[in-house]
Amino acid sequence: MIKKLLYIDLDGVVADFVTAMNAHPLRYQPPYDKDPDTIPGLFKNLKPIKEAISSVNKLLDSKKYEVYFLSTAPWNNTSAWTDKRIWLEEQFGDKINRKFILTHRKDLVKGDILIDDRPNNGAKDFEGEWIHFGSDTYPNWEITLKHLL
Ligand SMILES: [Mg+2]
């Protein structure tokens, strides 16, 4: 069987970025009050979204899919690019070795399915199926997995 190419966004799908951002001590201090996603190290200590880790592990182990993470890191927060790579390895170990793509143009990536919580950075124009995570149709991982497996 030819595996389908499945891409998974990080923030809001696997990693709980919003909670960490709002709890950060620098959140309301200039200059970060205007651009909170530029707080250095912000992406290092994110909690996983409920059931995300076990669900992604099922997809990684599935014979149906070849899984990659497809995320965007803030251009003006260079630590985010490294933090996301380290975070993924902490969660999934060597299983995700070379399965990580950072881009601001998700529409340029070739594939069958993208799980993403927002239309931004090309997600809504992705060439395959866009699974809108957090929407009424795919509100959580349980329902998303049911659709995929
Ligand atoms: Mg997201």
Side-chain angles (χ1 to χ4, degrees):
M1 182 166 53
I2 296 172
K3 288 185 174 184
K4 284 189 172 175
L5 273 171
L6 169 65
Y7 296 95
I8 306 174
D9 174 41
L10 283 184
D11 301 315
V13 175
V14 183
D16 187 358
F17 163 73
V18 171
T19 302
M21 178 180 73
N22 288 332
H24 199 282
L26 295 176
R27 169 66 179 88
Y28 296 103
Q29 287 184 34
Y32 305 115
D33 53 340
K34 288 198 179 70
D35 277 315
D37 66 358
T38 59
I39 295 171
L42 175 61
F43 291 84
K44 211 176 270 176
N45 299 308
L46 306 185
K47 294 237 163 55
I49 298 274
K50 191 168 174 265
E51 288 177 36
I53 304 304
S54 60
S55 301
V56 170
N57 269 312
K58 282 182 189 147
L59 293 169
L60 284 166
D61 295 339
S62 151
K63 291 188 172 46
K64 268 176 97 170
Y65 300 107
E66 186 174 345
V67 177
Y68 290 85
F69 294 95
L70 185 61
S71 181
T72 305
W75 189 254
N76 295 323
N77 184 354
T78 52
S79 70
W81 297 63
T82 306
D83 292 341
K84 284 172 178 251
R85 154 76 173 79
I86 293 168
W87 190 88
L88 272 176
E89 190 167 1
E90 282 170 0
Q91 305 301 326
F92 299 104
D94 205 45
K95 269 187 183 179
I96 53 89
N97 191 326
R98 291 168 197 187
K99 291 180 171 285
F100 182 34
I101 299 166
L102 283 171
T103 180
H104 287 75
R105 288 290 305 274
K106 294 179 180 179
D107 55 316
L108 297 182
V109 177
K110 299 188 69 64
D112 300 294
I113 302 169
L114 167 64
I115 306 172
D116 204 309
D117 64 318
R118 298 194 307 159
N120 307 37
N121 297 303
K124 71 169 169 37
D125 298 317
F126 177 70
E127 67 174 14
E129 177 191 0
W130 170 32
I131 292 181
H132 189 178
F133 192 85
S135 67
D136 290 345
T137 316
Y138 301 106
N140 54 41
W141 268 107
E142 189 190 342
I143 288 167
T144 302
L145 261 198
K146 223 174 251 173
H147 172 68
L148 289 170
L149 293 176

